[in-house]
């Protein structure tokens, strides 16, 4: 299911949108949808990273150096 929404853009931003979408062979709608999806993924990644950092700071989780990780994975030759 898809839901339709509308946004208002300044004319210069809309012109840039059309130009960028055309350059990639996409419709403006497809370009906007992809940009939104990528931005949402970035926000979710940041949230997960902040949660992991909080766990490290609280001692709930620890970090490993590259040499420790290699040793744990049996990759230290």
């Amino acid at each position: 299911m898809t839901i339709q929404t509308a946004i208002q853009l300044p004319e210069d931003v809309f012109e840039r949108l059309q130009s960028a979408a055309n350059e990639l062979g996409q419709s403006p709608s497809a370009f906007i949808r992809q940009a939104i999806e990528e931005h949402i993924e970035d926000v979710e990644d940041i949230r997960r990273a902040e949660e992991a950092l909080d766990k490290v700071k609280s001692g709930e989780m620890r970090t490993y150096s590259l040499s420790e990780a290699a040793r744990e994975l049996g990759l230290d030759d």
Side-chain angles (χ1 to χ4, degrees), residues 48-73:
R48 283 190 292 273
E50 288 173 342
E51 289 171 355
L53 182 58
D54 288 343
K55 287 180 180 181
V56 169
K57 286 179 179 178
S58 73
E60 191 177 336
M61 184 173 21
R62 67 164 287 206
T63 61
Y64 294 85
S65 69
L66 179 58
S67 60
E68 289 173 317
R71 190 171 48 253
E72 285 287 322
L73 296 171

PDB file of all heavy atoms in Angstrom, residues 48-73:
ATOM      1  N   ARG A  48      20.945   3.781  16.342  1.00  0.00           N
ATOM      2  CA  ARG A  48      21.547   2.520  16.790  1.00  0.00           C
ATOM      3  C   ARG A  48      22.975   2.746  17.304  1.00  0.00           C
ATOM      4  O   ARG A  48      23.378   2.146  18.307  1.00  0.00           O
ATOM      5  CB  ARG A  48      21.537   1.487  15.659  1.00  0.00           C
ATOM      6  CG  ARG A  48      20.165   0.851  15.439  1.00  0.00           C
ATOM      7  CD  ARG A  48      20.244  -0.337  14.494  1.00  0.00           C
ATOM      8  NE  ARG A  48      20.576   0.055  13.135  1.00  0.00           N
ATOM      9  CZ  ARG A  48      19.698   0.422  12.210  1.00  0.00           C
ATOM     10  NH1 ARG A  48      18.413   0.463  12.511  1.00  0.00           N
ATOM     11  NH2 ARG A  48      20.091   0.744  10.999  1.00  0.00           N
ATOM     12  N   ALA A  49      23.722   3.605  16.637  1.00  0.00           N
ATOM     13  CA  ALA A  49      25.089   3.901  17.082  1.00  0.00           C
ATOM     14  C   ALA A  49      25.074   4.583  18.449  1.00  0.00           C
ATOM     15  O   ALA A  49      25.897   4.267  19.319  1.00  0.00           O
ATOM     16  CB  ALA A  49      25.801   4.778  16.056  1.00  0.00           C
ATOM     17  N   GLU A  50      24.149   5.518  18.649  1.00  0.00           N
ATOM     18  CA  GLU A  50      24.040   6.196  19.949  1.00  0.00           C
ATOM     19  C   GLU A  50      23.641   5.214  21.043  1.00  0.00           C
ATOM     20  O   GLU A  50      24.159   5.285  22.163  1.00  0.00           O
ATOM     21  CB  GLU A  50      23.042   7.350  19.864  1.00  0.00           C
ATOM     22  CG  GLU A  50      23.572   8.523  19.063  1.00  0.00           C
ATOM     23  CD  GLU A  50      22.539   9.606  18.813  1.00  0.00           C
ATOM     24  OE1 GLU A  50      21.314   9.347  18.945  1.00  0.00           O
ATOM     25  OE2 GLU A  50      22.952  10.733  18.464  1.00  0.00           O
ATOM     26  N   GLU A  51      22.750   4.281  20.731  1.00  0.00           N
ATOM     27  CA  GLU A  51      22.357   3.268  21.711  1.00  0.00           C
ATOM     28  C   GLU A  51      23.549   2.385  22.074  1.00  0.00           C
ATOM     29  O   GLU A  51      23.754   2.062  23.252  1.00  0.00           O
ATOM     30  CB  GLU A  51      21.201   2.416  21.170  1.00  0.00           C
ATOM     31  CG  GLU A  51      19.880   3.155  21.094  1.00  0.00           C
ATOM     32  CD  GLU A  51      18.798   2.381  20.353  1.00  0.00           C
ATOM     33  OE1 GLU A  51      19.077   1.283  19.804  1.00  0.00           O
ATOM     34  OE2 GLU A  51      17.658   2.888  20.313  1.00  0.00           O
ATOM     35  N   ALA A  52      24.341   1.997  21.070  1.00  0.00           N
ATOM     36  CA  ALA A  52      25.520   1.174  21.334  1.00  0.00           C
ATOM     37  C   ALA A  52      26.534   1.939  22.177  1.00  0.00           C
ATOM     38  O   ALA A  52      27.118   1.387  23.118  1.00  0.00           O
ATOM     39  CB  ALA A  52      26.151   0.713  20.020  1.00  0.00           C
ATOM     40  N   LEU A  53      26.736   3.215  21.867  1.00  0.00           N
ATOM     41  CA  LEU A  53      27.667   4.034  22.638  1.00  0.00           C
ATOM     42  C   LEU A  53      27.220   4.161  24.091  1.00  0.00           C
ATOM     43  O   LEU A  53      28.034   4.063  25.008  1.00  0.00           O
ATOM     44  CB  LEU A  53      27.809   5.413  22.003  1.00  0.00           C
ATOM     45  CG  LEU A  53      28.796   6.374  22.660  1.00  0.00           C
ATOM     46  CD1 LEU A  53      30.194   5.770  22.703  1.00  0.00           C
ATOM     47  CD2 LEU A  53      28.798   7.702  21.925  1.00  0.00           C
ATOM     48  N   ASP A  54      25.920   4.335  24.293  1.00  0.00           N
ATOM     49  CA  ASP A  54      25.392   4.394  25.659  1.00  0.00           C
ATOM     50  C   ASP A  54      25.678   3.094  26.410  1.00  0.00           C
ATOM     51  O   ASP A  54      26.024   3.112  27.598  1.00  0.00           O
ATOM     52  CB  ASP A  54      23.886   4.677  25.658  1.00  0.00           C
ATOM     53  CG  ASP A  54      23.537   6.101  25.262  1.00  0.00           C
ATOM     54  OD1 ASP A  54      24.444   6.971  25.302  1.00  0.00           O
ATOM     55  OD2 ASP A  54      22.365   6.350  24.913  1.00  0.00           O
ATOM     56  N   LYS A  55      25.537   1.952  25.718  1.00  0.00           N
ATOM     57  CA  LYS A  55      25.804   0.657  26.347  1.00  0.00           C
ATOM     58  C   LYS A  55      27.282   0.506  26.686  1.00  0.00           C
ATOM     59  O   LYS A  55      27.628  -0.054  27.730  1.00  0.00           O
ATOM     60  CB  LYS A  55      25.343  -0.480  25.443  1.00  0.00           C
ATOM     61  CG  LYS A  55      23.840  -0.617  25.376  1.00  0.00           C
ATOM     62  CD  LYS A  55      23.428  -1.762  24.475  1.00  0.00           C
ATOM     63  CE  LYS A  55      21.918  -1.879  24.425  1.00  0.00           C
ATOM     64  NZ  LYS A  55      21.491  -3.001  23.558  1.00  0.00           N
ATOM     65  N   VAL A  56      28.149   1.008  25.817  1.00  0.00           N
ATOM     66  CA  VAL A  56      29.587   0.956  26.099  1.00  0.00           C
ATOM     67  C   VAL A  56      29.898   1.821  27.306  1.00  0.00           C
ATOM     68  O   VAL A  56      30.620   1.409  28.225  1.00  0.00           O
ATOM     69  CB  VAL A  56      30.407   1.400  24.867  1.00  0.00           C
ATOM     70  CG1 VAL A  56      31.873   1.614  25.230  1.00  0.00           C
ATOM     71  CG2 VAL A  56      30.277   0.382  23.734  1.00  0.00           C
ATOM     72  N   LYS A  57      29.340   3.027  27.343  1.00  0.00           N
ATOM     73  CA  LYS A  57      29.599   3.945  28.457  1.00  0.00           C
ATOM     74  C   LYS A  57      29.094   3.382  29.785  1.00  0.00           C
ATOM     75  O   LYS A  57      29.696   3.605  30.825  1.00  0.00           O
ATOM     76  CB  LYS A  57      28.942   5.300  28.192  1.00  0.00           C
ATOM     77  CG  LYS A  57      29.658   6.120  27.140  1.00  0.00           C
ATOM     78  CD  LYS A  57      28.945   7.444  26.915  1.00  0.00           C
ATOM     79  CE  LYS A  57      29.653   8.303  25.894  1.00  0.00           C
ATOM     80  NZ  LYS A  57      28.934   9.562  25.639  1.00  0.00           N
ATOM     81  N   SER A  58      27.998   2.642  29.750  1.00  0.00           N
ATOM     82  CA  SER A  58      27.432   2.092  30.980  1.00  0.00           C
ATOM     83  C   SER A  58      28.094   0.770  31.393  1.00  0.00           C
ATOM     84  O   SER A  58      27.780   0.224  32.448  1.00  0.00           O
ATOM     85  CB  SER A  58      25.924   1.880  30.821  1.00  0.00           C
ATOM     86  OG  SER A  58      25.668   0.771  29.969  1.00  0.00           O
ATOM     87  N   GLY A  59      28.962   0.253  30.536  1.00  0.00           N
ATOM     88  CA  GLY A  59      29.621  -1.013  30.836  1.00  0.00           C
ATOM     89  C   GLY A  59      28.811  -2.225  30.421  1.00  0.00           C
ATOM     90  O   GLY A  59      29.224  -3.362  30.655  1.00  0.00           O
ATOM     91  N   GLU A  60      27.681  -2.007  29.823  1.00  0.00           N
ATOM     92  CA  GLU A  60      26.810  -3.100  29.381  1.00  0.00           C
ATOM     93  C   GLU A  60      27.389  -3.824  28.158  1.00  0.00           C
ATOM     94  O   GLU A  60      27.074  -4.974  27.890  1.00  0.00           O
ATOM     95  CB  GLU A  60      25.434  -2.509  29.045  1.00  0.00           C
ATOM     96  CG  GLU A  60      24.340  -3.484  28.811  1.00  0.00           C
ATOM     97  CD  GLU A  60      23.019  -2.782  28.558  1.00  0.00           C
ATOM     98  OE1 GLU A  60      22.831  -1.620  28.982  1.00  0.00           O
ATOM     99  OE2 GLU A  60      22.153  -3.403  27.916  1.00  0.00           O
ATOM    100  N   MET A  61      28.231  -3.116  27.402  1.00  0.00           N
ATOM    101  CA  MET A  61      28.844  -3.668  26.206  1.00  0.00           C
ATOM    102  C   MET A  61      30.284  -3.154  26.158  1.00  0.00           C
ATOM    103  O   MET A  61      30.579  -2.095  26.702  1.00  0.00           O
ATOM    104  CB  MET A  61      28.074  -3.197  24.961  1.00  0.00           C
ATOM    105  CG  MET A  61      28.561  -3.784  23.681  1.00  0.00           C
ATOM    106  SD  MET A  61      27.609  -3.446  22.140  1.00  0.00           S
ATOM    107  CE  MET A  61      26.664  -2.022  22.413  1.00  0.00           C
ATOM    108  N   ARG A  62      31.170  -3.915  25.530  1.00  0.00           N
ATOM    109  CA  ARG A  62      32.545  -3.457  25.425  1.00  0.00           C
ATOM    110  C   ARG A  62      32.967  -3.380  23.966  1.00  0.00           C
ATOM    111  O   ARG A  62      32.315  -3.930  23.095  1.00  0.00           O
ATOM    112  CB  ARG A  62      33.493  -4.332  26.214  1.00  0.00           C
ATOM    113  CG  ARG A  62      33.639  -5.756  25.660  1.00  0.00           C
ATOM    114  CD  ARG A  62      34.842  -6.438  26.221  1.00  0.00           C
ATOM    115  NE  ARG A  62      36.037  -5.848  25.619  1.00  0.00           N
ATOM    116  CZ  ARG A  62      37.178  -6.454  25.475  1.00  0.00           C
ATOM    117  NH1 ARG A  62      37.330  -7.683  25.902  1.00  0.00           N
ATOM    118  NH2 ARG A  62      38.211  -5.865  24.922  1.00  0.00           N
ATOM    119  N   THR A  63      34.057  -2.710  23.738  1.00  0.00           N
ATOM    120  CA  THR A  63      34.619  -2.619  22.392  1.00  0.00           C
ATOM    121  C   THR A  63      35.852  -3.501  22.325  1.00  0.00           C
ATOM    122  O   THR A  63      36.404  -3.904  23.355  1.00  0.00           O
ATOM    123  CB  THR A  63      35.009  -1.167  22.047  1.00  0.00           C
ATOM    124  OG1 THR A  63      35.998  -0.719  22.971  1.00  0.00           O
ATOM    125  CG2 THR A  63      33.797  -0.252  22.086  1.00  0.00           C
ATOM    126  N   TYR A  64      36.268  -3.796  21.113  1.00  0.00           N
ATOM    127  CA  TYR A  64      37.434  -4.632  20.884  1.00  0.00           C
ATOM    128  C   TYR A  64      38.382  -3.907  19.937  1.00  0.00           C
ATOM    129  O   TYR A  64      37.941  -3.299  18.964  1.00  0.00           O
ATOM    130  CB  TYR A  64      37.045  -5.979  20.253  1.00  0.00           C
ATOM    131  CG  TYR A  64      36.225  -6.848  21.167  1.00  0.00           C
ATOM    132  CD1 TYR A  64      34.836  -6.691  21.249  1.00  0.00           C
ATOM    133  CD2 TYR A  64      36.824  -7.819  21.949  1.00  0.00           C
ATOM    134  CE1 TYR A  64      34.086  -7.483  22.100  1.00  0.00           C
ATOM    135  CE2 TYR A  64      36.079  -8.619  22.801  1.00  0.00           C
ATOM    136  CZ  TYR A  64      34.709  -8.447  22.870  1.00  0.00           C
ATOM    137  OH  TYR A  64      33.976  -9.227  23.712  1.00  0.00           O
ATOM    138  N   SER A  65      39.667  -4.015  20.198  1.00  0.00           N
ATOM    139  CA  SER A  65      40.650  -3.481  19.267  1.00  0.00           C
ATOM    140  C   SER A  65      40.695  -4.400  18.049  1.00  0.00           C
ATOM    141  O   SER A  65      40.197  -5.532  18.086  1.00  0.00           O
ATOM    142  CB  SER A  65      42.028  -3.408  19.919  1.00  0.00           C
ATOM    143  OG  SER A  65      42.527  -4.715  20.135  1.00  0.00           O
ATOM    144  N   LEU A  66      41.331  -3.935  16.993  1.00  0.00           N
ATOM    145  CA  LEU A  66      41.449  -4.761  15.792  1.00  0.00           C
ATOM    146  C   LEU A  66      42.192  -6.051  16.091  1.00  0.00           C
ATOM    147  O   LEU A  66      41.786  -7.130  15.650  1.00  0.00           O
ATOM    148  CB  LEU A  66      42.155  -3.974  14.681  1.00  0.00           C
ATOM    149  CG  LEU A  66      42.370  -4.714  13.365  1.00  0.00           C
ATOM    150  CD1 LEU A  66      41.045  -5.194  12.790  1.00  0.00           C
ATOM    151  CD2 LEU A  66      43.096  -3.817  12.373  1.00  0.00           C
ATOM    152  N   SER A  67      43.264  -5.973  16.866  1.00  0.00           N
ATOM    153  CA  SER A  67      44.027  -7.184  17.175  1.00  0.00           C
ATOM    154  C   SER A  67      43.206  -8.147  18.026  1.00  0.00           C
ATOM    155  O   SER A  67      43.275  -9.368  17.842  1.00  0.00           O
ATOM    156  CB  SER A  67      45.353  -6.840  17.853  1.00  0.00           C
ATOM    157  OG  SER A  67      45.135  -6.143  19.048  1.00  0.00           O
ATOM    158  N   GLU A  68      42.419  -7.623  18.968  1.00  0.00           N
ATOM    159  CA  GLU A  68      41.549  -8.485  19.781  1.00  0.00           C
ATOM    160  C   GLU A  68      40.490  -9.163  18.917  1.00  0.00           C
ATOM    161  O   GLU A  68      40.225 -10.366  19.069  1.00  0.00           O
ATOM    162  CB  GLU A  68      40.853  -7.674  20.870  1.00  0.00           C
ATOM    163  CG  GLU A  68      41.755  -7.200  21.981  1.00  0.00           C
ATOM    164  CD  GLU A  68      41.040  -6.267  22.929  1.00  0.00           C
ATOM    165  OE1 GLU A  68      40.279  -5.381  22.472  1.00  0.00           O
ATOM    166  OE2 GLU A  68      41.233  -6.436  24.153  1.00  0.00           O
ATOM    167  N   ALA A  69      39.892  -8.411  18.007  1.00  0.00           N
ATOM    168  CA  ALA A  69      38.866  -8.980  17.128  1.00  0.00           C
ATOM    169  C   ALA A  69      39.465 -10.049  16.232  1.00  0.00           C
ATOM    170  O   ALA A  69      38.870 -11.124  16.052  1.00  0.00           O
ATOM    171  CB  ALA A  69      38.216  -7.879  16.291  1.00  0.00           C
ATOM    172  N   ALA A  70      40.645  -9.783  15.678  1.00  0.00           N
ATOM    173  CA  ALA A  70      41.303 -10.769  14.831  1.00  0.00           C
ATOM    174  C   ALA A  70      41.596 -12.039  15.603  1.00  0.00           C
ATOM    175  O   ALA A  70      41.377 -13.154  15.120  1.00  0.00           O
ATOM    176  CB  ALA A  70      42.593 -10.185  14.238  1.00  0.00           C
ATOM    177  N   ARG A  71      42.077 -11.895  16.847  1.00  0.00           N
ATOM    178  CA  ARG A  71      42.376 -13.056  17.683  1.00  0.00           C
ATOM    179  C   ARG A  71      41.095 -13.834  17.997  1.00  0.00           C
ATOM    180  O   ARG A  71      41.070 -15.056  17.892  1.00  0.00           O
ATOM    181  CB  ARG A  71      43.067 -12.594  18.982  1.00  0.00           C
ATOM    182  CG  ARG A  71      43.636 -13.707  19.802  1.00  0.00           C
ATOM    183  CD  ARG A  71      44.510 -13.253  20.973  1.00  0.00           C
ATOM    184  NE  ARG A  71      43.906 -12.190  21.783  1.00  0.00           N
ATOM    185  CZ  ARG A  71      44.293 -10.897  21.781  1.00  0.00           C
ATOM    186  NH1 ARG A  71      45.282 -10.517  20.984  1.00  0.00           N
ATOM    187  NH2 ARG A  71      43.710 -10.010  22.546  1.00  0.00           N
ATOM    188  N   GLU A  72      40.025 -13.125  18.372  1.00  0.00           N
ATOM    189  CA  GLU A  72      38.744 -13.786  18.683  1.00  0.00           C
ATOM    190  C   GLU A  72      38.196 -14.551  17.472  1.00  0.00           C
ATOM    191  O   GLU A  72      37.576 -15.593  17.631  1.00  0.00           O
ATOM    192  CB  GLU A  72      37.716 -12.746  19.129  1.00  0.00           C
ATOM    193  CG  GLU A  72      37.921 -12.206  20.523  1.00  0.00           C
ATOM    194  CD  GLU A  72      37.559 -13.232  21.593  1.00  0.00           C
ATOM    195  OE1 GLU A  72      36.567 -13.982  21.426  1.00  0.00           O
ATOM    196  OE2 GLU A  72      38.267 -13.266  22.612  1.00  0.00           O
ATOM    197  N   LEU A  73      38.423 -14.008  16.274  1.00  0.00           N
ATOM    198  CA  LEU A  73      37.905 -14.633  15.053  1.00  0.00           C
ATOM    199  C   LEU A  73      38.878 -15.631  14.433  1.00  0.00           C
ATOM    200  O   LEU A  73      38.607 -16.203  13.393  1.00  0.00           O
ATOM    201  CB  LEU A  73      37.548 -13.548  14.029  1.00  0.00           C
ATOM    202  CG  LEU A  73      36.414 -12.609  14.443  1.00  0.00           C
ATOM    203  CD1 LEU A  73      36.309 -11.458  13.467  1.00  0.00           C
ATOM    204  CD2 LEU A  73      35.101 -13.355  14.542  1.00  0.00           C
TER     205      LEU A  73
END
